[in-house]
Every structure is written in structure tokens, then in C-alpha cells.
Amino acid sequence: RKLFNANISNQTSNMKEVFRSEYRVVTRKNEMRWIEATGIAEFDVEGNLVIMSGCHNDVTLEKAHNNKLFELAYYDEDTHLYNRKMLEVHLDESKKQQQSGKLMFLDFYLLEQLIAIYGFEFSNKVINNGVEIVKSIFDDSVDYYRLSSHKFAVFLRGEFTDLTIKRMIKNILFELEQLQEMMNFIVPVVANMAVICFDYRERLSGAEIIDQSYVALELKDEKQKSNIVFYDESIKNEVKKKLFIKNGIQMALDNEEFFFLYQPIIKSANDEIAGFESLIRWNSQEYGMIYPDDFIESAERNLQIISIGQFALREGCKFIKKYNERNSSDATISINASVVEVVQRDYGDRVLSIIEENCISRSSVIIEITESLMLDHGDEALSQIRKLSCAGVQIALDDFGVGYASLNNILRMPLNEIKIDREIMNEVMIDDNVKRFIKSIIRLAHDNNIAVVSEGIENIEMIAVSKDLDIDYIQGYVYSKPIEEKCALKYMVKDITG
């Protein structure tokens, strides 16, 4: 009533022609209804109200519809917690109001296993019981959010010291372990946690703050126990670098910050050069040298790996053409291919097109793939790999011995080479059982016309073992580290015997 009367007073005193107001009424059946009032006023020359006419509309259904849309937009359906979008809104509102606070992010990464084992209905009961436990630890000054299937957040608006937060987290984890015993599920209750101080003066949007939290959660790779990261200056710098990598790949491509080193691959029979492997590096203006382990995963998520892969193949083809013309040889160039690239329907055509535009033999290009390609995308990947193989491009299985290598996949794929991972070669040097196993793999490969490359060879003893195993090609620091193009073009196999 107070608001309605104020709206009318505002219209009459300010001579506003159009009046709108919403209010609730209780009907005789004790039902709550929403009414929208619209009025049009006429005033005389002295500003006195002459007449007001209008109508009252029942907008209860419209209100209910809007409320439902609001819930769908800003609430998690299963837990009825706020979602990520609402956290962005709350953070942006706090910034406008010049209010700071702390955000606690919790990643219960094993929840996906819980769902896979017990199904959605049971898992939702666990999650909702867990939410009630978390709510019981805090007071009314906090808000709760479900950001994804297993990521949650708590917005701490009051004064919370780091010691207080640690104690609360300890209590939460203890209560969740009790819940595990009570509900009798086998998936352990562990979480990665990040606590970030939200300062409105930093001029970050809500979305940017959440992005920082996600990167902070990923800093802990250990998946055996709960970890907590407090967002101090050192963590902040690490997060900034990871966000720079995530968002800066396209700019690095445009600015030509990516370049390639080439590592020689040597024939074990006569110590001559068989070819080179192309290895990408990123020379960032801001962070200096960035290695593939730091940026390939982000590039795959953003699909920028497709552009990087084409660039790598084009540069590799140019290099090997120069090398072979300069040295009158038929050396090969090995290019690593990402799963994301290979499953593209036009991958085979793009590879063949780049080879042809550089006027080199298809057999001088070796595409290196990993076995995860077959595990995750068997049919799509195999069709592209077979297309390249039938066209004369060579295919190598990289990192053999790491992960889920199986003889079935080796025999299914049209392979020309198997590259034995450096870790396995290190095991070969100290474990006779591993050595016998690798020897049987090499025999099987040779029976199927597949050459074998040993990677990570660092000394003369490893060369001797590689030759004793009848390995065809050797790659490693004992011959050369990855080198720049100008050095690779004139590389000569050094005498390592003495």
C-alpha cells in the first residue's frame, strides 16, 4: 500500500501522464494475486489533477512464469542453490557497492564417479545432504552456489579469517565423511578447494573472478586427498600465467610467437640421419619460453590446436624440403597430431593438401598419434588415419608403453612406426622382465613390417641396448637435443664412442 500510494503521489505531484504500479491482493478465498495497475492522468493548466482513468489486470500467471524463468536462469535445478550466473551477478553487484569479501570454491571431482556407480537419484540425495551439512557450518551472511556438476562456491560476506575458514573446511570434510558412512557409498569424499579474496578495487568482473578460481582449483594435481589453496601473491602469479596461456594462444599465432625445434632421429644400423621430429615452442613476450605441456591442453579445449597443427605441419614440410634439397637425402619429418585434429572430418584432406603445396613426397611425412586416439575416438580417428596411410603418408604410434597400450590397437592401425617412450626405455635398462617384454613387442612389430624407434636415449649404454633389441631408429640427447632450424639443416651425426 505504501509503495502504491507513493506511486500515485509521484504521478500527481510531478504531473506524469502515465502511471504503472504492481501490488498483491488477498482474495476472499484467501488466494494471493498479483495486480498490475495502469493509470492515465489529465491535468489543467495550473497543474491540478482533473481526471485519472485506468485499469487493473491480474498478472499472477505472468508473474509465476517470470519467476520460473528466473529460477531456470539463476538456480541449480537439483539442489536449488544459486548457479554460476547468479554468482557473477552477485560479484558484479558487490563491486558496484564497493564491497569486498571472500569466495570459497570446492571441487568435489569424484562426484562424477559417484553418479556413474550409483546413478543420479542416489547421487542427488548425497549432494543435497552434503549441501545441508555445508549450510549448517556457516551463518546467514553467506550465499551458496553450484557452478557445475561437481564444483560449488560459498560467498563469505562477513569477516572470516583464514584460520576460521580452515576450521570450517575441516568440519565440513569431517561431516561429509560421516555422511559417507551413514549412506554407505564407497567413493571417497575429497575436494580441491580455493579461497580467493574478492576486492572490488581490482576491477575484475564476476566472470573473471570465477575463471581465476577454476585455474586455482587446477593447481593441485594430487587426487588422493583434499587440498586447499589460499590465493596469495605466488598463487596469483601462477593463475595469471595460466589464464594468459588460456586466452593468449590466438594472439601468439597472430604474432608468430610459436616456433619449432627439430630433434634428429638416427638409424641404428649405420648411425645415419633418418629424419627429424618437429617440436613446438612458444616464445612469449610476457613470460618467455612456454613449453607444450603448459599450453597444448588449453589449445585443445579451445580448438585452437587445429590452427596450431596446420602451422606445425606446414613449417615441418618446409623444413624437410630444405633439408633434403641441401643434403641430397630422403629424410622424414615427424609431426605430432592431437586427438582434436585427427577426429575432424577434413583432417586427412588438409594434411594431403599441405604436403602437396610444399611439393614433397608424402612418405617423407610421419604423423605421430597416441593410443588415446583409438580409445576415445576409434572409428572417426581410424578413418582419417587410414585415408592418410592409403595416400602414402606414414603413421607412427607415439609414447608406446605409457597408458593403455594394447596389441589389438597396434594391429588395427595402419602403422609404419612404434615409438617406445623414454620411461619404458629407462625401465628396460634396469628390469630384465621389461626388456623381454619390449623385445617381444619389437619382434611382433617387425613381423608386421612396423619399424621401432626408441626415445629418450641419453648415453652409450642405452644405444647398445637399443641395438641389441634390434630397434630400428634412436632418438635422444645422446645424439642431439632439439635444435633450431639453421642448426638442424647442417646437423651431422657426432661421434659418441669416445
Side-chain angles (χ1 to χ4, degrees):
R1 290 178 184 177
K2 184 177 180 181
L3 179 61
F4 183 77
N5 289 329
N7 285 338
I8 292 178
S9 298
N10 181 48
Q11 184 183 28
T12 55
S13 60
N14 293 306
M15 297 178 61
K16 290 189 174 182
E17 291 185 2
V18 179
F19 159 86
R20 281 192 177 88
S21 189
E22 288 183 352
Y23 56 89
R24 291 173 298 171
V25 298
V26 179
T27 69
R28 292 174 180 174
K29 295 181 180 180
N30 208 32
E31 295 175 341
M32 189 75 72
R33 311 295 294 182
W34 275 96
I35 304 298
E36 180 187 66
T38 304
I40 297 176
E42 291 183 20
F43 301 87
D44 62 22
V45 291
E46 295 177 355
N48 299 311
L49 179 65
V50 175
I51 190 172
M52 181 186 291
S53 60
C55 61
H56 300 265
N57 293 318
D58 187 332
V59 292
T60 305
L61 289 178
E62 183 181 340
K63 277 284 186 181
H65 178 68
N66 289 339
N67 288 339
K68 185 62 178 177
L69 290 177
F70 184 85
E71 286 183 15
L72 290 173
Y74 294 108
Y75 284 83
D76 174 63
E77 186 177 358
D78 295 324
T79 60
H80 302 291
L81 298 178
Y82 292 134
N83 61 14
R84 174 183 170 134
K85 188 65 181 175
M86 183 58 94
L87 178 55
E88 291 180 20
V89 171
H90 285 169
L91 288 170
D92 290 336
E93 287 175 351
S94 294
K95 177 183 171 184
K96 288 178 183 177
Q97 296 166 6
Q98 297 188 351
Q99 294 176 346
S100 300
K102 288 186 177 180
L103 291 160
M104 185 171 73
F105 295 88
L106 304 96
D107 182 4
F108 293 96
Y109 44 82
L110 294 182
L111 270 181
E112 291 180 344
Q113 288 188 21
L114 184 79
I115 294 169
I117 295 171
Y118 296 98
F120 284 102
E121 186 175 349
F122 179 82
S123 300
N124 280 337
K125 288 181 181 178
V126 174
I127 292 168
N128 281 296
N129 285 335
V131 167
E132 292 306 314
I133 286 172
V134 174
K135 286 183 175 180
S136 70
I137 302 295
F138 295 98
D139 56 29
D140 294 334
S141 65
V142 304
D143 287 315
Y144 308 92
Y145 309 81
R146 189 181 189 184
L147 308 180
S148 66
S149 63
H150 52 87
K151 285 187 174 72
F152 297 80
V154 182
F155 195 166
L156 309 171
R157 298 177 185 274
E159 294 294 327
F160 292 88
T161 65
D162 289 351
L163 187 62
T164 300
I165 293 171
K166 283 182 180 179
R167 186 174 67 250
M168 289 176 164
I169 288 173
K170 185 177 179 181
N171 290 341
I172 289 170
L173 293 174
F174 174 77
E175 293 294 337
L176 290 175
E177 287 172 1
Q178 299 299 111
L179 177 66
Q180 180 184 356
E181 286 187 21
M182 184 181 73
M183 298 190 69
N184 194 27
F185 55 88
I186 62 173
V187 179
V189 179
V190 289
N192 280 339
M193 290 157 281
V195 178
I196 294 180
C197 293
F198 163 60
D199 191 337
Y200 69 88
R201 290 167 295 188
E202 288 191 355
R203 298 181 179 178
L204 294 174
S205 69
E208 289 171 330
I209 293 169
I210 296 171
D211 283 344
Q212 286 190 359
S213 75
Y214 275 29
V215 175
L217 287 170
E218 292 169 1
L219 294 180
K220 289 288 186 180
D221 295 327
E222 190 177 0
K223 299 292 185 183
Q224 302 297 323
K225 61 180 183 180
S226 295
N227 298 288
I228 181 169
V229 171
F230 281 87
Y231 199 67
D232 58 18
E233 204 60 35
S234 63
I235 295 295
K236 186 176 183 178
N237 291 333
E238 196 172 346
V239 168
K240 284 178 99 174
K241 182 178 179 181
K242 284 186 175 290
L243 284 171
F244 168 81
I245 290 171
K246 176 183 175 183
N247 300 319
I249 292 173
Q250 187 57 53
M251 187 176 293
L253 278 166
D254 297 339
N255 295 339
E256 299 182 351
E257 294 181 358
F258 288 109
F259 70 100
F260 297 90
L261 301 177
Y262 300 93
Q263 187 171 35
I265 300 171
I266 310 302
K267 298 176 185 177
S268 60
N270 54 18
D271 290 341
E272 293 181 354
I273 296 173
F276 295 83
E277 180 177 357
S278 172
L279 299 165
I280 192 169
R281 299 289 186 266
W282 178 0
N283 189 14
S284 162
Q285 294 181 9
E286 187 162 347
Y287 286 99
M289 195 65 66
I290 302 175
Y291 292 92
D293 286 349
D294 293 324
F295 67 81
I296 290 296
E297 185 178 352
S298 288
E300 288 179 332
R301 287 179 183 173
N302 297 336
L303 299 183
Q304 291 162 327
I305 194 67
I306 298 171
S307 298
I308 291 174
Q310 291 183 57
F311 179 51
L313 181 60
R314 193 167 277 114
E315 291 300 303
C317 289
K318 290 177 183 177
F319 164 77
I320 207 62
K321 182 179 182 180
K322 286 183 195 174
Y323 180 87
N324 285 337
E325 289 176 351
R326 176 173 179 154
N327 296 279
S328 301
S329 65
D330 57 356
T332 59
I333 184 68
S334 297
I335 309 287
N336 290 283
S338 162
V339 173
V340 177
E341 290 180 85
V342 179
V343 297
Q344 303 299 313
R345 292 185 178 181
D346 63 342
Y347 175 71
D349 292 332
R350 282 191 282 108
V351 170
L352 295 174
S353 176
I354 291 172
I355 292 173
E356 287 170 10
E357 75 183 38
N358 284 278
C359 301
I360 62 174
S361 167
R362 292 174 178 177
S363 61
S364 63
V365 175
I366 302 175
I367 300 296
E368 295 190 7
I369 59 175
T370 59
E371 196 172 11
S372 63
L373 194 75
M374 297 302 299
L375 291 169
D376 300 332
H377 306 277
D379 293 337
E380 306 102 306
L382 199 55
S383 65
Q384 297 300 313
I385 294 302
R386 282 178 174 159
K387 181 172 189 173
L388 290 174
S389 181
C390 291
V393 178
Q394 297 194 64
I395 307 298
L397 179 64
D398 197 14
D399 299 333
F400 177 82
V402 175
Y404 304 95
S406 70
L407 298 180
N408 180 50
N409 279 340
I410 291 174
L411 298 177
R412 278 182 68 201
M413 289 187 282
L415 296 176
N416 301 96
E417 282 185 2
I418 294 172
K419 302 189 77 172
I420 301 175
D421 184 76
R422 66 180 68 243
E423 293 182 16
I424 300 301
M425 289 307 300
N426 287 333
E427 289 294 318
V428 165
M429 299 301 295
I430 59 175
D431 192 327
D432 287 339
N433 290 327
V434 177
K435 186 175 181 179
R436 281 192 292 270
F437 172 73
I438 292 299
K439 194 164 190 174
S440 66
I441 294 296
I442 294 168
R443 192 180 303 116
L444 176 66
H446 287 165
D447 288 344
N448 287 274
N449 297 316
I450 300 172
V452 180
V453 183
S454 57
E455 294 184 292
I457 306 305
E458 298 182 354
N459 52 53
I460 297 174
E461 291 76 15
M462 294 182 79
I463 291 177
V465 169
S466 295
K467 291 184 176 183
D468 180 59
L469 288 169
D470 200 21
I471 286 173
D472 303 280
Y473 304 106
I474 298 171
Q475 180 179 351
Y477 281 13
V478 67
Y479 286 110
S480 175
K481 294 180 179 181
I483 51 180
E484 294 181 359
E485 179 180 315
K486 61 182 180 180
C487 297
L489 287 171
K490 55 188 179 182
Y491 174 80
M492 302 289 290
V493 181
K494 60 184 180 181
D495 182 8
I496 56 171
T497 58

